Amino acid sequence: MGAVSTVGDRMDRSPGERTPKQDRSRATRQRLLEAAVACLAEHGWAGSTVSVVAERAGVSRGAAQHHFPTREDLFTAAVEYVAEERSGALRDLFPQGAAGDRRAVVSALVDLYTGPLFRAALHLWVAASNEEQLRPQVTELEARVGRETHRIAVDLLDADESRPGVRETVQGLLDMARGLGLANLLTDDKGRREKVVAQWTALVETALRD
């Protein structure tokens, strides 16, 4: 995971390079978020305690609780971080716009939902279904993420949602991508996924054709 790899770069900084207190605090928070994401993806909710995350981040449990007083605070912030990374990663794929290449956009959306960042979010969804204290935070966050992802998809596909059926087509594409992400949890579904992407690209092109 690209985001997690940056932790080592920061920890390799020589002792002589002193960082202002605020910057150190920000770096600690970032390490905790990256460690929480990695732990969720690898161990799920049950195996991702604050102590485990703190150890992975290379900080004390007390330091972790200074930034995130409860486990729910830590993992809700981690999934919000994941969501921001997902949106940013998708936009970064097409900094100048998609230039009408809808196949590339469909593939990028599917990749968004089949990668480790989405896998980490899924573990929190499962936890939220059983944790009353966590559920409202995750529900609100995912609603916001869903709206943002839909807006990004509309922009990249150059879709005119004033036309009948276009909004539903875009949402159907996102629902399909999410389903592929779920399927990918158990097996490497790459071969079938490529055929589904090709078919959905054809459907999107037909629905959005001027």
Side-chain angles (χ1 to χ4, degrees):
M1 195 183 310
V4 177
S5 66
T6 62
V7 174
D9 297 337
R10 284 191 291 271
M11 294 181 71
D12 287 340
R13 190 177 290 161
S14 77
E17 295 179 46
R18 296 191 178 277
T19 317
K21 184 176 180 180
Q22 186 176 13
D23 290 346
R24 289 200 302 272
S25 177
R26 187 181 300 112
T28 297
R29 188 178 191 278
Q30 181 77 4
R31 286 204 301 273
L32 285 165
L33 290 175
E34 291 171 352
V37 171
C39 286
L40 275 175
E42 294 175 15
H43 309 302
W45 173 259
S48 299
T49 64
V50 174
S51 295
V52 168
V53 173
E55 182 178 358
R56 183 170 189 136
V59 305
S60 69
R61 180 184 173 87
Q65 290 181 315
H66 170 73
H67 288 276
F68 304 102
T70 69
R71 188 186 188 203
E72 289 77 12
D73 290 335
L74 170 60
F75 286 104
T76 300
V79 171
E80 183 162 7
Y81 167 73
V82 167
E84 291 170 356
E85 288 291 298
R86 280 157 53 191
S87 294
L90 183 57
R91 286 201 179 281
D92 288 346
L93 287 174
F94 305 99
Q96 306 301 323
D101 189 351
R102 285 172 173 154
R103 170 64 183 263
V105 174
V106 173
S107 294
L109 288 167
V110 169
D111 288 345
L112 182 72
Y113 282 104
T114 54
L117 292 174
F118 181 67
R119 189 179 306 123
L122 280 176
H123 284 298
L124 198 71
W125 292 4
V126 173
S129 70
N130 298 310
E131 297 284 340
E132 290 288 342
Q133 186 175 357
L134 189 61
R135 190 181 306 152
Q137 295 169 296
V138 175
T139 299
E140 179 182 354
L141 174 63
E142 283 302 320
R144 178 167 61 80
V145 172
R147 290 191 297 269
E148 171 68 5
T149 305
H150 186 99
R151 186 171 63 80
I152 291 172
V154 168
D155 290 345
L156 292 175
L157 291 167
D158 192 24
D160 179 3
E161 288 196 303
S162 68
R163 295 172 54 196
V166 169
R167 179 175 179 80
E168 290 74 17
T169 297
V170 174
Q171 190 56 53
L173 168 61
L174 296 176
D175 291 343
M176 178 275 298
R178 189 180 297 110
L180 290 176
L182 288 168
N184 201 54
L185 283 176
L186 298 177
T187 60
D188 184 355
D189 213 30
K190 186 176 180 180
R192 185 174 70 90
R193 193 160 67 239
E194 289 176 350
K195 295 178 181 177
V196 173
V197 166
Q199 180 61 25
W200 260 94
T201 299
L203 292 172
V204 167
E205 287 284 8
T206 298
L208 304 185
R209 187 175 296 141
D210 293 333

